[in-house]
Amino acid sequence: SMATALETGIFAYDDVYDCQHYFTEIPGTQLKDWTLDKDVAPSGMLTLQEGLMRSCNPWFYRIGMELYRQNRTNDLSNMARAFGLGSLTGIEGVSEEPGNIPNPTDELDNARIAIGQSQVLVNPLQVARFVAAVGNGGTLYRPQVIEKITDPDGNASFTFEPEAQSTLPVKPENLALIQEAMRWVVSSSRG
Protein backbone atom coordinates (compact mmCIF):
# COMPACT_ATOMS: atom_id res chain seq x y z
CA SER A 1 0.00 0.00 0.00
CA MET A 2 2.86 2.38 0.74
CA ALA A 3 4.41 1.56 -2.64
CA THR A 4 1.11 2.36 -4.36
CA ALA A 5 0.70 5.59 -2.39
CA LEU A 6 4.17 6.77 -3.38
CA GLU A 7 4.14 5.54 -6.98
CA THR A 8 0.84 7.29 -7.78
CA GLY A 9 2.22 10.55 -6.38
CA ILE A 10 -0.95 11.05 -4.36
CA PHE A 11 1.02 10.70 -1.14
CA ALA A 12 4.57 11.60 -0.11
CA TYR A 13 6.75 9.85 2.46
CA ASP A 14 6.56 12.84 4.81
CA ASP A 15 2.78 13.43 4.60
CA VAL A 16 1.31 13.23 8.09
CA TYR A 17 -1.84 11.66 9.44
CA ASP A 18 -3.29 11.56 12.95
CA CYS A 19 -3.54 7.85 13.71
CA GLN A 20 -6.30 7.35 16.27
CA HIS A 21 -8.21 4.27 17.44
CA TYR A 22 -10.90 4.74 14.80
CA PHE A 23 -11.03 5.69 11.13
CA THR A 24 -14.31 7.45 10.38
CA GLU A 25 -13.63 9.23 7.07
CA ILE A 26 -15.92 6.91 5.10
CA PRO A 27 -19.51 7.94 5.90
CA GLY A 28 -21.40 5.43 8.02
CA THR A 29 -18.28 3.39 8.78
CA GLN A 30 -16.01 3.08 11.78
CA LEU A 31 -12.85 1.01 11.20
CA LYS A 32 -10.47 0.18 14.05
CA ASP A 33 -6.75 0.40 14.57
CA TRP A 34 -4.95 -2.52 16.21
CA THR A 35 -4.02 -0.30 19.17
CA LEU A 36 -7.63 -0.31 20.40
CA ASP A 37 -7.82 -4.09 20.82
CA LYS A 38 -4.38 -4.15 22.46
CA ASP A 39 -5.41 -1.36 24.87
CA VAL A 40 -2.51 0.79 23.65
CA ALA A 41 -2.67 4.56 23.26
CA PRO A 42 -3.29 5.74 19.68
CA SER A 43 -0.13 6.40 17.70
CA GLY A 44 -0.97 10.07 17.00
CA MET A 45 0.68 12.13 14.26
CA LEU A 46 2.74 9.95 11.91
CA THR A 47 4.44 10.47 8.57
CA LEU A 48 3.69 7.84 5.94
CA GLN A 49 6.97 6.11 6.73
CA GLU A 50 6.14 6.14 10.44
CA GLY A 51 2.68 4.82 9.57
CA LEU A 52 4.33 1.74 8.06
CA MET A 53 6.72 1.44 10.99
CA ARG A 54 3.83 1.66 13.46
CA SER A 55 1.45 -0.44 11.32
CA CYS A 56 -1.16 2.29 11.62
CA ASN A 57 -4.33 0.87 10.08
CA PRO A 58 -6.06 4.28 9.73
CA TRP A 59 -3.15 5.64 7.65
CA PHE A 60 -3.58 2.81 5.18
CA TYR A 61 -7.39 2.89 5.28
CA ARG A 62 -6.99 6.51 4.20
CA ILE A 63 -4.70 5.53 1.33
CA GLY A 64 -7.20 2.96 0.06
CA MET A 65 -10.11 5.38 0.37
CA GLU A 66 -8.28 8.25 -1.31
CA LEU A 67 -7.00 6.12 -4.20
CA TYR A 68 -10.55 4.97 -4.86
CA ARG A 69 -11.91 8.52 -4.66
CA GLN A 70 -9.29 9.69 -7.17
CA ASN A 71 -10.34 7.01 -9.68
CA ARG A 72 -7.26 4.89 -9.00
CA THR A 73 -9.62 2.07 -8.07
CA ASN A 74 -7.48 -0.95 -8.96
CA ASP A 75 -4.04 0.49 -8.24
CA LEU A 76 -3.67 -1.22 -4.83
CA SER A 77 -4.74 -4.60 -6.20
CA ASN A 78 -2.53 -4.26 -9.25
CA MET A 79 0.47 -3.36 -7.09
CA ALA A 80 -0.21 -6.31 -4.77
CA ARG A 81 -0.26 -8.61 -7.79
CA ALA A 82 2.98 -7.08 -9.06
CA PHE A 83 4.48 -7.91 -5.65
CA GLY A 84 3.58 -11.57 -6.33
CA LEU A 85 0.55 -11.72 -4.05
CA GLY A 86 -2.49 -13.73 -5.11
CA SER A 87 -0.59 -15.96 -7.53
CA LEU A 88 1.51 -19.09 -7.39
CA THR A 89 5.19 -18.50 -6.64
CA GLY A 90 6.43 -21.32 -8.87
CA ILE A 91 8.16 -23.24 -6.09
CA GLU A 92 8.83 -26.84 -7.13
CA GLY A 93 7.87 -29.86 -5.06
CA VAL A 94 5.66 -27.96 -2.65
CA SER A 95 1.93 -27.58 -3.15
CA GLU A 96 0.58 -24.09 -2.69
CA GLU A 97 -2.59 -22.11 -3.17
CA PRO A 98 -2.52 -18.88 -5.15
CA GLY A 99 -4.73 -16.90 -2.79
CA ASN A 100 -6.72 -13.92 -3.99
CA ILE A 101 -6.19 -10.24 -4.63
CA PRO A 102 -9.62 -8.82 -5.49
CA ASN A 103 -10.44 -5.61 -7.28
CA PRO A 104 -12.37 -3.36 -4.88
CA THR A 105 -16.12 -2.86 -5.10
CA ASP A 106 -16.13 0.55 -3.40
CA GLU A 107 -13.96 2.86 -1.28
CA LEU A 108 -14.64 0.88 1.91
CA ASP A 109 -13.54 -2.33 0.22
CA ASN A 110 -10.40 -0.59 -1.05
CA ALA A 111 -9.67 0.72 2.46
CA ARG A 112 -9.85 -2.85 3.74
CA ILE A 113 -7.72 -4.17 0.88
CA ALA A 114 -5.08 -1.57 1.83
CA ILE A 115 -4.45 -3.41 5.11
CA GLY A 116 -4.82 -6.92 3.67
CA GLN A 117 -8.43 -7.52 4.64
CA SER A 118 -11.63 -7.81 2.55
CA GLN A 119 -11.25 -10.86 0.28
CA VAL A 120 -7.43 -10.69 0.30
CA LEU A 121 -5.84 -14.11 0.70
CA VAL A 122 -2.08 -14.67 0.49
CA ASN A 123 0.16 -17.49 1.62
CA PRO A 124 3.20 -17.07 3.89
CA LEU A 125 5.62 -17.90 1.07
CA GLN A 126 4.22 -15.04 -1.04
CA VAL A 127 4.77 -12.66 1.87
CA ALA A 128 8.31 -13.90 2.52
CA ARG A 129 9.06 -13.59 -1.20
CA PHE A 130 7.89 -9.99 -1.54
CA VAL A 131 9.61 -8.93 1.68
CA ALA A 132 12.82 -10.50 0.33
CA ALA A 133 12.32 -8.53 -2.89
CA VAL A 134 11.94 -5.30 -0.92
CA GLY A 135 15.14 -6.15 0.95
CA ASN A 136 17.18 -7.16 -2.09
CA GLY A 137 16.42 -4.05 -4.10
CA GLY A 138 13.29 -5.14 -5.94
CA THR A 139 13.77 -8.55 -7.59
CA LEU A 140 11.13 -11.26 -7.11
CA TYR A 141 12.80 -14.65 -7.25
CA ARG A 142 11.16 -18.03 -7.66
CA PRO A 143 11.49 -19.71 -4.27
CA GLN A 144 13.58 -22.85 -4.17
CA VAL A 145 13.99 -25.54 -1.57
CA ILE A 146 17.25 -27.07 -2.82
CA GLU A 147 20.39 -25.00 -3.23
CA LYS A 148 22.65 -27.77 -4.51
CA ILE A 149 23.12 -31.51 -4.84
CA THR A 150 26.38 -32.91 -3.49
CA ASP A 151 28.14 -36.26 -3.43
CA PRO A 152 29.01 -37.90 -0.07
CA ASP A 153 32.24 -35.88 0.05
CA GLY A 154 30.39 -32.59 -0.25
CA ASN A 155 31.35 -31.85 -3.83
CA ALA A 156 28.53 -30.15 -5.68
CA SER A 157 27.27 -32.15 -8.65
CA PHE A 158 24.56 -29.62 -9.42
CA THR A 159 23.89 -26.12 -8.13
CA PHE A 160 20.51 -24.48 -8.61
CA GLU A 161 20.84 -20.87 -9.68
CA PRO A 162 18.39 -18.23 -8.43
CA GLU A 163 15.68 -17.51 -11.00
CA ALA A 164 14.46 -13.92 -11.18
CA GLN A 165 10.79 -13.79 -12.14
CA SER A 166 10.08 -10.07 -12.13
CA THR A 167 10.98 -6.73 -10.65
CA LEU A 168 8.84 -4.70 -8.27
CA PRO A 169 7.35 -1.70 -10.13
CA VAL A 170 8.69 0.76 -7.59
CA LYS A 171 11.16 3.58 -8.23
CA PRO A 172 14.47 3.09 -6.38
CA GLU A 173 13.91 6.19 -4.24
CA ASN A 174 10.48 4.92 -3.14
CA LEU A 175 11.82 1.44 -2.46
CA ALA A 176 14.53 3.03 -0.28
CA LEU A 177 11.84 4.83 1.74
CA ILE A 178 9.96 1.57 2.27
CA GLN A 179 13.18 -0.23 3.28
CA GLU A 180 13.98 2.51 5.78
CA ALA A 181 10.49 2.34 7.31
CA MET A 182 10.75 -1.45 7.58
CA ARG A 183 14.10 -1.13 9.38
CA TRP A 184 12.42 1.27 11.82
CA VAL A 185 9.99 -1.53 12.75
CA VAL A 186 12.84 -3.24 14.61
CA SER A 187 15.14 -0.31 15.40
CA SER A 188 12.64 2.22 16.76
CA SER A 189 11.07 1.86 20.18
CA ARG A 190 7.73 2.71 18.50
CA GLY A 191 8.07 0.02 15.84
Side-chain angles (χ1 to χ4, degrees), residues 7-184:
E7 289 298 312
T8 60
I10 294 173
F11 295 92
Y13 76 99
D14 57 352
D15 285 349
V16 294
Y17 185 77
D18 188 10
C19 186
Q20 295 298 311
H21 282 144
Y22 292 101
F23 178 79
T24 57
E25 294 182 39
I26 298 173
T29 303
Q30 187 176 45
L31 301 172
K32 294 189 303 185
D33 187 43
W34 66 268
T35 55
L36 181 66
D37 290 336
K38 297 291 184 182
D39 198 28
V40 174
S43 299
M45 297 301 286
L46 299 171
T47 65
L48 177 54
Q49 279 189 294
E50 292 169 334
L52 179 63
M53 171 200 70
R54 190 75 180 137
S55 192
C56 168
N57 291 346
W59 226 130
F60 293 93
Y61 291 140
R62 180 171 178 249
I63 289 169
M65 175 198 72
E66 192 60 35
L67 287 168
Y68 197 90
R69 287 181 178 177
Q70 294 200 26
N71 294 317
R72 307 298 298 256
T73 54
N74 294 332
D75 285 9
L76 277 173
S77 297
N78 290 339
M79 183 67 79
R81 291 182 197 113
F83 272 57
L85 300 175
S87 63
L88 297 174
T89 66
I91 190 169
E92 291 183 21
V94 178
S95 64
E96 63 175 323
E97 294 294 325
N100 182 53
I101 299 295
N103 287 327
T105 56
D106 56 28
E107 66 185 13
L108 175 59
D109 197 31
N110 211 38
R112 289 181 171 143
I113 288 170
I115 68 159
Q117 293 183 347
S118 178
Q119 299 298 313
V120 172
L121 297 171
V122 301
N123 69 46
L125 185 57
Q126 291 168 355
V127 174
R129 182 172 169 241
F130 97 72
V131 171
V134 169
N136 75 28
T139 303
L140 275 174
Y141 288 98
R142 182 171 63 93
Q144 59 190 61
V145 177
I146 302 169
E147 179 182 3
K148 62 185 171 181
I149 299 171
T150 63
D151 64 21
D153 295 325
N155 301 309
S157 61
F158 189 83
T159 301
F160 294 85
E161 296 297 323
E163 180 186 326
Q165 292 181 309
S166 65
T167 302
L168 301 180
V170 181
K171 293 179 194 118
E173 61 270 21
N174 289 336
L175 188 58
L177 293 167
I178 295 166
Q179 291 169 333
E180 182 176 44
M182 290 178 73
R183 280 192 296 272
W184 293 348

